[in-house]
Amino acid sequence: MGQRRRTYSTFSDVSDHFYDINERAVEDITLDYFYKPHTITVLSISLVGLVYLAFTRDDSSIESNLWKGGLCIILFFLIISSLAFPNGPFTRPHPLIWRSIFGLSVLYFLSLVFVIFQNYNTVRYIIGWACPELKNFTLVLPLYAQNCDNITLERMIGHVDVYVFAHIVGWIMKALLIRHYGLCWVISLGWEFTELAFLHLLPNFAECWWDSIMFDVILCNGLGIHIGMWICKKMELRTYHWESVKDIQSTTGKIRRAVLQLTPETWTANKWLDPNSSFMRVVGVTILVILFQVTS
């Protein structure tokens, strides 16, 4: 009797691919101690610390009790997330860090869900209670679309502030995430049109034409995209061979290997669209662009 051979469907391949990304295993482990499970040890230390703080602190202040209780909830949620959440697609410098970041993202999302069901006055009251210095704070938004006909070198230089450098760094990070010139420029120009569409909500979205074109599009966006894509090209051409820190003899070499632990394990170029892309691929990329506009 012939043996039955197992066949794999397309759905099985997709499921396995999703699992490999969601639970990516760490390869070439050199320090075994940092990758062994320490669940019982961590939970035991956490419970001992919780009991100690619960019975030794001063509980006479209601605000102090609420603050410490909330911080303790956040701390335990991050501990549980670091132990139970999936690794995700990133393993450098350690999956524990990315699990904790995922936990913080979940907490942030839950806080936004809570805020959705509050009115403006309630949100202001919560902020004033959490940060008393902001209780009577009023945000004054600067207006940029003033005297746009007055174009001088001194005025242009005066527009260069910390936000310009933050803008450039932000687009460097976006380029490292997207890794595609065309998609980066679509998102960049799309945001300029988004600002024009929502001028009635935020008046400071209005900018002089030269500020929008020269500083936003060309200087901040363009320079950030170019630097980010340059880094991507360097990472693509790099040969990835990771040597164990135990096999390195010199102290300088060990330090260098420790610093390189902060860099990606591998690097893959993204090809979002090509002539053979399916309709759903185009829809997925369009949704990605829209989500970038919404989050911005």
Side-chain angles (χ1 to χ4, degrees), residues 117-150:
F117 292 91
Q118 315 305 315
N119 56 32
Y120 177 78
N121 293 328
T122 304
V123 175
R124 286 297 301 261
Y125 176 80
I126 294 174
I127 294 176
W129 176 82
C131 302
E133 64 274 11
L134 298 178
K135 190 172 184 179
N136 298 319
F137 177 78
T138 301
L139 179 62
V140 179
L141 297 176
L143 299 178
Y144 299 103
Q146 295 179 337
N147 300 325
C148 293
D149 294 334
N150 182 19

Side-chain angles (χ1 to χ4, degrees), residues 37-293:
H38 303 284
T39 306
I40 297 177
T41 303
V42 173
L43 291 179
S44 300
I45 295 175
S46 302
L47 289 175
V48 171
L50 175 62
V51 172
Y52 174 79
L53 291 175
F55 290 96
T56 59
R57 64 183 181 84
D58 181 14
D59 59 355
S60 59
S61 173
I62 296 178
E63 292 187 356
S64 177
N65 293 340
L66 293 175
W67 261 112
K68 292 179 180 178
L71 292 176
C72 192
I73 290 174
I74 295 175
L75 177 61
F76 263 82
F77 184 85
L78 292 180
I79 292 175
I80 294 174
S81 66
S82 65
L83 297 175
F85 279 13
N87 287 347
F90 306 112
T91 59
R92 293 295 186 92
H94 195 281
L96 182 70
I97 296 176
W98 296 106
R99 294 177 190 171
S100 300
I101 293 176
F102 185 26
L104 287 173
S105 302
V106 173
L107 287 173
Y108 177 67
F109 172 73
L110 294 177
S111 65
L112 293 180
V113 172
F114 176 78
V115 169
I116 287 176
F117 292 91
Q118 315 305 315
N119 56 32
Y120 177 78
N121 293 328
T122 304
V123 175
R124 286 297 301 261
Y125 176 80
I126 294 174
I127 294 176
W129 176 82
C131 302
E133 64 274 11
L134 298 178
K135 190 172 184 179
N136 298 319
F137 177 78
T138 301
L139 179 62
V140 179
L141 297 176
L143 299 178
Y144 299 103
Q146 295 179 337
N147 300 325
C148 293
D149 294 334
N150 182 19
I151 305 175
T152 61
L153 181 61
E154 291 78 13
R155 189 181 181 189
M156 290 184 179
I157 296 176
H159 275 67
V160 179
D161 52 14
V162 66
Y163 296 104
V164 171
F165 295 99
H167 205 162
I168 294 174
V169 173
W171 270 104
I172 291 175
M173 301 306 297
K174 289 180 182 178
L176 292 177
L177 288 173
I178 300 173
R179 307 177 192 178
H180 191 276
Y181 268 114
L183 209 57
C184 286
W185 278 111
V186 168
I187 296 173
S188 170
L189 297 177
W191 173 247
E192 298 302 322
F193 288 104
T194 303
E195 287 185 331
L196 295 176
F198 289 94
L199 288 176
H200 60 287
L201 295 178
L202 290 175
N204 70 322
F205 273 176
E207 299 174 327
C208 296
W209 64 268
W210 50 268
D211 189 1
S212 179
I213 296 176
M214 298 182 61
F215 282 93
D216 286 353
V217 177
I218 298 178
L219 178 61
C220 297
N221 301 4
L223 183 60
I225 292 172
H226 179 74
I227 294 176
M229 292 302 299
W230 177 80
I231 296 175
C232 289
K233 294 296 182 182
K234 289 293 184 180
M235 301 296 284
E236 291 174 20
L237 298 175
R238 177 181 173 186
T239 302
Y240 291 87
H241 174 70
W242 299 105
E243 186 178 7
S244 173
V245 69
K246 298 178 181 179
D247 300 332
I248 302 176
Q249 303 300 325
S250 64
T251 303
T252 304
K254 291 180 181 293
I255 296 175
R256 182 175 180 273
R257 177 61 181 84
V259 173
L260 288 176
Q261 185 68 19
L262 302 175
T263 62
E265 181 185 12
T266 58
W267 192 269
T268 304
N270 286 346
K271 295 182 179 180
W272 294 96
L273 293 173
D274 58 61
N276 298 321
S277 296
S278 63
F279 173 75
M280 292 306 299
R281 178 69 170 182
V282 176
V283 172
V285 173
T286 303
I287 293 175
L288 176 68
V289 173
I290 295 174
L291 288 177
F292 261 97
Q293 303 301 329

